[in-house]
Amino acid sequence: MAGASKNSRTTVATHKFFCECGGEVVMKTMFEGGKLKNVAECQKCKRTERRPKDFK
């Protein structure tokens, strides 16, 4: 009997990040200098950081 794979048994949890101003932080993909770059941006104050946890 084949069981379910380990990855299918894990639950997916999403974590919402919030800026100090109270806005929600979303990830955006930008194309700069021939490279794709992921940045986190606050929707309210438009502040950008490299990772969502840098807003704390």
Side-chain angles (χ1 to χ4, degrees):
M1 275 292 207
S5 70
K6 182 177 73 172
N7 290 335
S8 69
R9 291 193 306 260
T10 61
T11 59
V12 176
T14 57
H15 189 325
K16 288 193 174 186
F17 289 92
F18 292 97
C19 182
E20 295 166 346
C21 70
E24 188 177 345
V25 176
V26 294
M27 290 299 292
K28 292 191 175 185
T29 304
M30 302 176 79
F31 189 74
E32 288 183 3
K35 294 183 181 179
L36 286 174
K37 186 176 179 184
N38 293 320
V39 294
E41 183 181 43
C42 174
Q43 291 181 329
K44 192 173 180 182
C45 66
K46 303 299 181 194
R47 181 176 148 202
T48 58
E49 296 287 342
R50 200 173 130 225
R51 304 186 288 271
K53 69 180 184 180
D54 291 341
F55 282 90
K56 294 183 180 182

